[in-house]
Amino acid sequence: MSTSKVIPHFLDTMARQYPVNIELSAGVDFSKTFYMKNADLSPTNLSGYTFSARLAKHATALNAVSSTSTDPVWKYIPFVVTVTDAATGAYTISLSAETTSKLSEGKYVYNITSQPNGGDYSNNVSGLVFVSIAFGNTGSFGTLDPNYP
């Protein structure tokens, strides 16, 4: 089962960006579609855009064992980002059930950036991700108590 919601956001360097918080269930496929709009509310044509989206426990999550001051090793999970309809400014971030099953319940942060046709990267959307355990889908993790209820 996949969850998907449509979230519009606006590409305007002068406009204030508001955080968009999302929820996902560990052990379940996840996807969320965003629509990028220009300042005049027209769709941003995403032809040639490159996206990067990441999920981490906090924004400066580093591997303390492997990192050095000159060579940081970041601890994050990359989302798969797909431009779903370039003409309407639609793109989708997703994670497989296999990936979400590795997440512990709790609060995370995420960030999505874009790069138009080799130009400068810009911050698109960021916010919190609330992860809950999908107890309706235990998969191969444990067994059900035959004495309940």
Side-chain angles (χ1 to χ4, degrees):
M1 173 194 235
S2 175
T3 59
S4 182
K5 294 180 182 175
V6 175
I7 309 289
H9 65 88
F10 306 99
L11 182 63
D12 182 359
T13 56
M14 300 304 288
R16 179 170 179 193
Q17 292 186 351
Y18 295 96
V20 175
N21 297 334
I22 55 181
E23 297 178 9
L24 69 83
S25 296
V28 177
D29 287 331
F30 167 81
S31 71
K32 186 160 300 302
T33 299
F34 295 87
Y35 285 87
M36 196 179 332
K37 304 276 184 191
N38 296 311
D40 65 359
L41 301 182
S42 64
T44 302
N45 187 329
L46 300 180
S47 296
Y49 270 66
T50 302
F51 286 88
S52 177
R54 297 177 176 158
L55 169 76
K57 197 60 182 164
H58 52 85
T60 58
L62 291 172
N63 182 323
V65 175
S66 303
S67 289
T68 66
S69 60
T70 57
D71 188 21
V73 178
W74 301 99
K75 289 179 77 170
Y76 64 83
I77 296 171
F79 286 98
V80 174
V81 184
T82 307
V83 175
T84 48
D85 188 346
T88 63
Y91 65 94
T92 300
I93 62 172
S94 61
L95 293 171
S96 68
E98 180 182 354
T99 300
T100 65
S101 69
K102 298 174 185 174
L103 296 172
S104 299
E105 187 172 41
K107 183 170 58 173
Y108 295 77
V109 295
Y110 80 101
N111 183 258
I112 305 170
T113 59
S114 65
Q115 182 185 32
N117 300 314
D120 294 331
Y121 274 98
S122 62
N123 190 33
N124 286 24
V125 182
S126 60
L128 299 175
V129 176
F130 298 95
V131 176
S132 60
I133 302 301
F135 69 90
N137 175 19
T138 57
S140 62
F141 182 71
T143 59
L144 297 177
D145 181 352
N147 299 316
Y148 182 80

